[in-house]
Amino acid sequence: MTDPAEDVVLSVENLSIDFRLRTHILHAVENVSFELKRGQTLCLVGESGSGKSVTARSLLQIVDRPGSIVGGRILLRNGGAVTDIARLDPDGQAMRAIRGRRIGLIFQEPMSSLSPVHTIGSQIIEAVRLHSDLDKRAARAKTVELLRQVEIPNPDQMADRYTFEFSGGMRQRAMIAMALAGNPDILIADEPTTALDVTTQAEILDLIKRLQVERGMAMLLITHDMGIVAEVADNVAVMRFGRIVERGPVDAIYHDAQHPYTRQLLASTVKLTRHVEGRVSAVAASAPPQQPILSVRHLGKTFGWHGKTSSLRAVDDANFDLYPGENLGIVGESGSGKTTLGRLILRTVEPTTGSVVYRNKDGSEVDVTSLTKKELRSFH
Ligand SMILES: Nc1ncnc2c1ncn2[C@@H]1O[C@H](COP(=O)(O)OP(=O)(O)OP(=O)(O)O)[C@@H](O)[C@H]1O
Ligand SMILES: [Mg+2]
């Protein structure tokens, strides 16, 4: 067994950060303490403006002006050696050696760290070479390997593409590859998935979690999503008004939160779940069974281009019933066909396959798909 204290790679002790503004001093972070352990994830949660990002940025000495660390220590451990990051010169060599090599950073907006005028590969190669003495060839090989690890398909070709040719999710993957270029043992992820659609969010989160476990990195993950916390956290720290109001193992926080603010945070998540459960049971209990007002069967649309053999299946075999008084939510990532589905139902876009049946109050049915242009106008 190893001593658990050996697993602590970074300890923040009584950290305070002020912003000296013209009119007053803003105490953005006050007396914050936490530890990051090898192979574990600490989730930092809390409302907007509570000081999460400022805390995270201070670990790399990149707090924006006029902010500065006014108290406390940030102890980075390396075997027996300990460095207090709070004492280092932000522009000095010692701090530069820590950024990327000991501590990697991923944040919300990939465009702010990716250049639009260089290929994705050349940017990662540059990061690899900054942190190692690999020659160009070896750095390129490592870059392709990193792109493979973040699950970019055909990494060898994709390395030569530009940022604008990457989708939002792929940009985030490229940024993760860049953060890993120096093999850091600590990873900071500040709201890494908030700019992405739900499906991509889940994929990127899985990827980050998997890489963290595989590489045994200590991770500080900032989020305001308690669902994400439940999935990835080992420990949780809750911030409010610049202070940590509660921290502990994830189970303890979920089952026995002490601070009213933590309970409030959890309650807002639980309410959403209850709302859905309540509605499902209400629907199940409602008798007598009603006829759907709208029945969609095998609805599909294929867009073809003149003179080209390729075509795009925008909607493929959509089937659902909509009941009177029901609220049906259609969700899906960008380009998945939501808008086209709506237009097919109204026939402002002509379906390639399937039928749409509308039921009048008297039970009579209108086959929307076989209406003439004129009938369709009055039906609308
Ligand atoms: N460059 C700056 N100049 C002045 N005040 C700042 C600056 N950056 C942050 N602050 C202030 O510091 C406090 C903490 O901000 P921070 O960005 O850490 O919040 P956060 O918890 O990350 O919020 P969010 O969830 O919205 O990202 C806020 O009151 C903010 O207004
Ligand atoms: Mg923030």
Side-chain angles (χ1 to χ4, degrees):
M1 290 285 280
T2 52
D3 180 357
E6 279 180 23
D7 282 344
V8 174
V9 285
L10 186 104
S11 15
V12 172
E13 296 175 354
N14 304 313
L15 179 69
S16 296
I17 299 164
D18 282 356
F19 283 90
R20 285 189 162 274
L21 306 176
R22 219 173 295 161
T23 50
H24 65 289
I25 295 176
L26 175 81
H27 305 297
V29 174
E30 287 184 273
N31 251 315
V32 159
S33 301
F34 59 82
E35 286 178 339
L36 299 182
K37 291 183 181 162
R38 204 183 307 283
Q40 297 209 355
T41 297
L42 172 71
C43 277
L44 193 56
V45 297
E47 64 201 346
S48 186
S50 56
K52 306 181 297 295
S53 295
V54 170
T55 302
R57 295 174 74 82
S58 73
L59 306 186
L60 288 164
Q61 285 269 29
I62 50 168
V63 176
D64 293 320
R65 256 179 268 228
S68 64
I69 298 173
V70 292
R73 308 198 291 174
I74 302 169
L75 303 179
L76 179 66
R77 293 172 204 278
N78 189 5
V82 178
T83 311
D84 184 358
I85 291 178
R87 297 276 163 284
L88 295 181
D89 170 11
D91 304 317
Q93 172 54 35
M95 196 58 239
R96 263 182 279 145
I98 290 171
R99 288 188 200 118
R101 239 177 282 180
R102 291 296 313 275
I103 309 178
L105 177 66
I106 308 170
F107 38 99
Q108 185 176 337
E109 196 22 84
M111 282 316 273
S112 53
S113 60
L114 293 175
S115 154
V117 295
H118 299 98
T119 62
I120 294 282
S122 66
Q123 297 177 64
I124 301 174
I125 289 171
E126 201 181 296
V128 167
R129 297 196 72 189
L130 184 71
H131 300 306
S132 67
D133 43 22
L134 294 181
D135 63 23
K136 259 202 164 134
R137 246 184 113 93
R140 160 123 194 156
K142 173 153 186 189
T143 295
V144 170
E145 171 56 21
L146 281 167
L147 289 174
R148 197 190 55 74
Q149 283 182 25
V150 296
E151 291 161 7
I152 299 248
N154 308 318
D156 204 19
Q157 285 106 298
M158 294 308 273
D160 298 324
R161 300 274 179 88
Y162 289 88
T163 312
F164 66 84
E165 297 178 87
F166 274 39
S167 69
M170 281 164 72
R171 287 175 193 167
Q172 202 65 338
R173 287 173 195 274
M175 194 167 70
I176 295 169
M178 195 131 65
L180 297 177
N183 294 322
D185 57 336
I186 300 171
L187 187 64
I188 301 174
D190 189 352
E191 310 254 15
T193 60
T194 34
L196 305 167
D197 62 65
V198 277
T199 328
T200 315
Q201 247 178 35
E203 284 172 13
I204 297 287
L205 201 67
D206 279 352
L207 173 71
I208 293 175
K209 182 67 191 171
R210 187 172 61 66
L211 291 166
Q212 179 255 321
V213 171
E214 274 175 15
R215 294 171 164 245
M217 292 183 290
M219 177 155 78
L220 176 67
L221 179 80
I222 297 176
T223 178
H224 54 254
D225 183 334
M226 292 306 276
I228 289 180
V229 173
E231 244 166 78
V232 306
D234 295 294
N235 293 288
V236 182
V238 181
M239 268 191 104
R240 195 175 200 206
F241 305 136
R243 293 173 171 270
I244 290 186
V245 294
E246 179 151 19
R247 67 187 166 117
V250 64
D251 287 341
I253 297 285
Y254 269 82
H255 295 118
D256 189 26
Q258 300 297 315
H259 197 277
Y261 177 66
T262 312
R263 293 203 201 130
Q264 197 184 316
L265 265 184
L266 287 166
S268 57
T269 329
V270 173
K271 242 185 255 151
L272 269 174
T273 333
R274 284 229 189 92
H275 182 71
V276 172
E277 281 167 5
R279 214 180 64 100
V280 170
S281 54
V283 169
S286 69
Q290 286 175 306
Q291 288 272 45
I293 191 165
L294 193 72
S295 297
V296 169
R297 294 290 175 273
H298 309 298
L299 197 60
K301 177 70 189 180
T302 306
F303 289 105
W305 285 278
H306 250 319
K308 284 202 179 170
T309 45
S310 66
S311 59
L312 178 93
R313 247 183 238 182
V315 174
D316 187 9
D317 198 28
N319 293 279
F320 65 86
D321 290 316
L322 182 67
Y323 288 85
E326 189 185 21
N327 232 324
L328 174 68
I330 309 255
V331 296
E333 60 201 280
S334 169
S336 61
K338 306 177 295 291
T339 301
T340 308
L341 178 62
R343 292 188 176 144
L344 292 177
I345 292 169
L346 286 165
R347 274 185 60 203
T348 54
V349 169
E350 282 299 335
T352 320
T353 63
S355 69
V356 175
V357 170
Y358 173 85
R359 261 179 213 87
N360 289 307
K361 283 212 174 86
D362 62 10
S364 61
E365 295 182 353
V366 180
D367 180 356
V368 182
T369 17
S370 64
L371 296 179
T372 64
K373 277 261 152 62
K374 201 169 151 215
E375 287 168 335
L376 194 60
R377 252 199 305 277
S378 71
F379 170 71
H380 281 165

